[in-house]
Amino acid sequence: MREQVGTLVSFRPDIKVMDCTLRDGGLVNNFYFSDDFVRSLYIANIKAGVDYMEFGYKASGEIFDETKFGKWKFCKDEDIRAIVGDNKDTGLKISVMADVGRTDFRKDIIPKSESPIDMIRIATYVNTIPAAIEMIEDAHSKGYETTVNIMAVSKVNSDDLKNSLEILAQSSVDVIYLVDSFGAYYPEQIRRIASQYLEIAQKAGKKAGIHAHNNQQLAFANTIEALTIGCSYLDCTVSGMGRGAGNCFTESLLAFLRNPKYNLVPVMNFVEQHMLPLKASGVVWGYDIPYLLTGILNAHPSSAIRCIKEQRTDYSRFYHELFDNVL
Amino acid sequence: MREQVGTLVSFRPDIKVMDCTLRDGGLVNNFYFSDDFVRSLYIANIKAGVDYMEFGYKASGEIFDETKFGKWKFCKDEDIRAIVGDNKDTGLKISVMADVGRTDFRKDIIPKSESPIDMIRIATYVNTIPAAIEMIEDAHSKGYETTVNIMAVSKVNSDDLKNSLEILAQSSVDVIYLVDSFGAYYPEQIRRIASQYLEIAQKAGKKAGIHAHNNQQLAFANTIEALTIGCSYLDCTVSGMGRGAGNCFTESLLAFLRNPKYNLVPVMNFVEQHMLPLKASGVVWGYDIPYLLTGILNAHPSSAIRCIKEQRTDYSRFYHELFDNVL
């Protein structure tokens, strides 16, 4: 296990806060955010000192029907530019996520010099890492910062994970992300696994990041525990908006960080003006017992999302269904 | 810092789960729980393998008007007996909380041999510890198990806290509780402070406990972090019901524990049958931004409770009011 880096009152210049509200939150409402919402979030992030704002996915228009999703599933450069202009001198960088196998990266990712996007985050499973590396090298050669986000690692055996990390460490990727897709990890596991990510990443001159889910109300705790031992790229979303139980709350994370560049007030104003109306309109995410149950069973949240959508409250029956179907 | 005790898959026979739903939850609804609710909770706790159920406070009828609160603020022995009978062979012990200065302990706490109560938990501030010790010795001599819960320690300087713990370690108390009254602590602080409690308590042959609040959504995380380094008495409430942001959720805690005596299903059934209707009736608790703000400022939650009650959502203004009034 790694030692603590700094203390509660120290300032860590390596820390980067990544707002994923549109991207992970878009999984809740099929990416149907109003332009006003997106523009206000962009301005709030700038004022709050957030380092990166992820606008959504760079999904393939060949694979997904563009009439069935909001535009942030596709993140066309012109749509981003309509919000951010040239995004000059803001201090906020723009990222998009590109899923392995679901992105026409050769066509849709243009050279960085012609794009408002700064960073491509490549999401992969362990078994598609060679394809992820192809995308990393493509994005890197086009001039982008890159991260690789290995999903569902709580289902991967330790040997495979170690091999994957070592292969990725030989690529051009800048940041390797620990992703707790199912909200299954406890803090002591996060410390152990993040230590491994950090050791392999840092030896290769790379950074490590953390993306947590809130199934067990541990997203914030796990994020700061990973941070405390050296992870520096920290994913969060406003009010925790994200698939199922959602993510680490931006509000909590900014309040925790001691770097004076971060400012909680613009985020609270954004919550008041945009997140409360969004919630009131019936968009549902956040901790609930069905998510706790998929989290403790290390299961994909899809069945819990369905359970919540159907407004079921027969938790014990749902629990037993999970045992029948996922274990 | 203490080393981890056991692993995620080991069974810790020293662990005791303490249900505080009626006591901390009673602070939300002035202790107006129906007998059906209380009886159902009692049965759920027995089935779930919970070790202790706290029925409420043993408050003084001289100080508090009994017509203005539900009966669980006073926890008369006959009211408890009406629910639990003799509580024979259930495996569940009964506790009540007695506040220093607000309990007629000489009169209202009768010998254990004549009472359905097993444990008296004495709640004190650092500056009332001599009075707490008087109550500890009174309860101990009457045959009760005792705990001492030092409140608001996040506002106490380290020297005073260390002295307090050392004085308490010389008393007859069985368990010394670390209480994060304001939900102000981060996991790394909990590990550090709990280490101190454990060191002093264990040297004197006593146990340590943890009572967390969820202002920063860290109640569960802080509870299991304290557990992981050796705390064994773990406070929780069903659905986190408790003052302000509430407490560590019983649901999460039982799911975490590996001791096969604990069973999550009866608690989920209780949530479905009793907690959902209670919430639907308008009783409000749980994480919200005003509680986050008092938590990060290490302030009493009363102003946040008022803010929520008034349905204010002007979070930034509330934040600035806190700076003016509490810092």
Side-chain angles (χ1 to χ4, degrees):
Chain A
M1 196 80 71
R2 296 172 75 89
E3 291 295 310
Q4 186 165 325
V5 179
T7 71
L8 271 180
V9 290
S10 61
F11 157 39
R12 288 254 309 272
D14 59 312
I15 288 172
K16 303 292 176 193
V17 173
M18 168 82 63
D19 166 44
C20 309
T21 308
L22 297 181
R23 205 269 309 159
D24 213 320
L27 296 170
V28 180
N29 69 348
N30 282 334
F31 305 90
Y32 285 114
F33 295 102
S34 71
D35 284 356
D36 179 43
F37 184 99
V38 175
R39 194 169 289 115
S40 301
L41 180 59
Y42 170 70
I43 292 166
N45 278 329
I46 292 170
K47 288 185 178 166
V50 165
D51 299 285
Y52 292 83
M53 172 171 171
E54 190 158 71
F55 271 69
Y57 285 94
K58 202 79 170 164
S60 162
E62 313 264 310
I63 298 175
F64 297 98
D65 182 345
E66 291 189 27
T67 66
K68 299 225 166 105
F69 298 94
K71 57 189 166 191
W72 305 111
K73 188 174 175 79
F74 305 96
C75 282
K76 293 180 182 164
D77 283 41
E78 63 263 32
D79 288 331
I80 295 176
R81 213 182 281 281
I83 303 291
V84 309
D86 286 333
N87 187 39
K88 277 271 177 282
D89 305 321
T90 62
L92 177 70
K93 292 181 178 177
I94 310 289
S95 83
V96 295
M97 183 162 272
D99 276 341
V100 168
R102 299 180 183 181
T103 308
D104 298 323
F105 60 93
R106 295 193 197 283
K107 176 166 71 72
D108 291 342
I109 297 178
I110 61 173
K112 151 102 202 79
S113 56
E114 301 161 30
S115 170
I117 299 167
D118 299 285
M119 172 185 269
I120 308 288
R121 301 213 305 166
I122 289 122
T124 181
Y125 295 98
V126 159
N127 65 333
T128 54
I129 280 183
I133 291 176
E134 189 178 35
M135 289 172 67
I136 289 167
E137 300 305 339
D138 179 80
H140 179 75
S141 71
K142 286 172 178 163
Y144 293 98
E145 297 177 40
T146 55
T147 77
V148 64
N149 299 40
I150 320 169
M151 298 182 290
V153 289
S154 55
K155 289 216 185 261
V156 175
N157 79 54
S158 309
D159 286 347
D160 289 349
L161 179 57
K162 185 160 181 285
N163 291 338
S164 303
L165 293 173
E166 282 171 349
I167 289 170
L168 287 167
Q170 295 167 32
S171 76
S172 302
V173 79
D174 299 302
V175 187
I176 305 178
Y177 259 87
L178 168 52
V179 183
D180 181 12
S181 299
F182 304 146
Y185 284 133
Y186 292 108
E188 65 178 275
Q189 295 171 296
I190 287 286
R191 289 192 295 271
R192 202 156 53 230
I193 300 161
S195 292
Q196 189 182 27
Y197 275 66
L198 281 161
E199 191 178 314
I200 295 173
Q202 291 182 349
K203 214 178 276 173
K206 304 181 186 313
K207 304 285 189 184
I210 172 88
H211 179 89
H213 276 276
N214 210 29
N215 295 62
Q216 304 198 61
Q217 295 191 77
L218 291 172
F220 173 50
N222 284 342
T223 300
I224 60 179
E225 287 300 298
L227 158 66
T228 297
I229 60 167
C231 283
S232 42
Y233 281 69
L234 310 174
D235 282 16
C236 58
T237 65
V238 180
S239 298
M241 184 182 189
R243 185 165 66 175
N247 302 103
C248 172
F249 283 49
T250 307
E251 299 91 307
S252 314
L253 185 60
L254 292 188
F256 177 80
L257 296 173
R258 297 298 179 261
N259 183 335
K261 78 173 280 219
Y262 298 120
N263 182 2
L264 180 56
V265 171
V267 177
M268 290 194 292
N269 289 335
F270 182 81
V271 172
E272 181 182 353
Q273 290 157 26
H274 295 277
M275 297 309 279
L276 296 181
L278 188 71
K279 279 224 158 187
S281 77
V283 180
V284 176
W285 71 91
Y287 172 83
D288 205 337
I289 289 183
Y291 298 125
L292 171 69
L293 298 177
T294 59
I296 63 178
L297 297 178
N298 192 16
H300 194 283
S302 55
S303 53
I305 292 171
R306 203 160 46 239
C307 178
I308 300 274
K309 200 166 186 177
E310 292 168 358
Q311 302 189 304
R312 287 177 58 180
T313 57
D314 53 339
Y315 305 125
S316 303
R317 166 168 284 217
F318 175 69
Y319 188 46
H320 289 117
E321 287 171 12
L322 285 176
F323 270 95
D324 288 343
N325 297 325
V326 310
L327 292 185
Chain B
M1 197 80 71
R2 296 171 76 88
E3 290 295 310
Q4 186 164 325
V5 180
T7 71
L8 271 180
V9 291
S10 61
F11 158 40
R12 288 254 309 272
D14 59 313
I15 287 173
K16 303 292 178 194
V17 173
M18 167 83 63
D19 165 44
C20 310
T21 309
L22 297 180
R23 205 268 309 157
D24 214 320
L27 296 170
V28 181
N29 68 349
N30 281 333
F31 306 91
Y32 286 114
F33 294 102
S34 71
D35 284 357
D36 179 43
F37 184 99
V38 176
R39 194 170 289 114
S40 300
L41 179 60
Y42 170 69
I43 292 166
N45 278 330
I46 292 170
K47 289 185 178 167
V50 165
D51 300 283
Y52 293 83
M53 174 170 169
E54 190 158 70
F55 271 70
Y57 285 94
K58 202 79 169 163
S60 162
E62 313 264 309
I63 299 175
F64 298 98
D65 182 346
E66 292 189 27
T67 66
K68 300 229 166 104
F69 298 93
K71 58 189 165 190
W72 305 111
K73 187 174 176 78
F74 305 97
C75 283
K76 293 180 183 166
D77 284 40
E78 62 264 33
D79 288 332
I80 295 175
R81 214 182 283 280
I83 302 290
V84 309
D86 286 333
N87 187 39
K88 277 270 178 283
D89 306 321
T90 63
L92 176 71
K93 293 182 176 176
I94 311 289
S95 83
V96 296
M97 184 161 272
D99 276 341
V100 168
R102 299 180 182 180
T103 309
D104 297 324
F105 60 94
R106 297 195 195 283
K107 175 168 73 69
D108 291 342
I109 298 178
I110 62 173
K112 151 99 204 81
S113 57
E114 302 162 29
S115 170
I117 299 168
D118 300 284
M119 171 185 271
I120 309 286
R121 301 212 305 168
I122 289 123
T124 181
Y125 295 97
V126 160
N127 65 330
T128 53
I129 281 183
I133 291 176
E134 189 177 34
M135 289 172 67
I136 289 167
E137 300 305 338
D138 179 81
H140 179 75
S141 72
K142 287 171 177 163
Y144 293 97
E145 298 176 41
T146 55
T147 77
V148 64
N149 299 39
I150 320 169
M151 298 182 290
V153 288
S154 55
K155 289 212 186 265
V156 175
N157 80 55
S158 309
D159 285 349
D160 289 350
L161 179 57
K162 185 161 183 284
N163 290 338
S164 303
L165 293 173
E166 282 172 349
I167 290 170
L168 288 167
Q170 295 168 33
S171 77
S172 301
V173 78
D174 299 302
V175 187
I176 305 178
Y177 259 87
L178 169 52
V179 183
D180 182 12
S181 298
F182 304 146
Y185 284 134
Y186 293 108
E188 66 177 275
Q189 294 171 296
I190 288 286
R191 290 193 293 271
R192 202 156 52 230
I193 300 161
S195 293
Q196 188 182 27
Y197 276 64
L198 280 161
E199 191 177 317
I200 295 173
Q202 291 182 348
K203 213 176 278 174
K206 303 180 187 311
K207 304 284 189 185
I210 170 88
H211 179 88
H213 276 277
N214 210 28
N215 295 62
Q216 305 198 59
Q217 295 190 75
L218 291 172
F220 173 51
N222 283 343
T223 301
I224 59 178
E225 287 301 297
L227 158 66
T228 298
I229 59 167
C231 284
S232 41
Y233 281 69
L234 310 174
D235 281 17
C236 59
T237 65
V238 180
S239 299
M241 186 182 188
R243 185 165 66 175
N247 302 102
C248 172
F249 284 49
T250 307
E251 300 92 305
S252 314
L253 185 61
L254 292 188
F256 177 80
L257 296 173
R258 297 297 180 260
N259 183 333
K261 77 173 280 222
Y262 298 120
N263 182 1
L264 181 56
V265 171
V267 177
M268 290 193 292
N269 288 335
F270 182 81
V271 172
E272 180 182 354
Q273 289 156 27
H274 295 277
M275 296 310 278
L276 296 182
L278 189 70
K279 279 224 156 185
S281 78
V283 180
V284 176
W285 72 91
Y287 172 83
D288 206 337
I289 288 183
Y291 298 125
L292 171 69
L293 297 177
T294 59
I296 63 177
L297 297 178
N298 191 17
H300 195 284
S302 55
S303 53
I305 292 170
R306 201 158 51 239
C307 179
I308 299 274
K309 199 166 186 175
E310 293 168 357
Q311 302 190 304
R312 286 176 60 180
T313 57
D314 53 340
Y315 305 125
S316 302
R317 167 170 282 216
F318 175 69
Y319 188 47
H320 290 116
E321 287 172 13
L322 286 175
F323 271 94
D324 287 344
N325 297 326
V326 310
L327 293 185

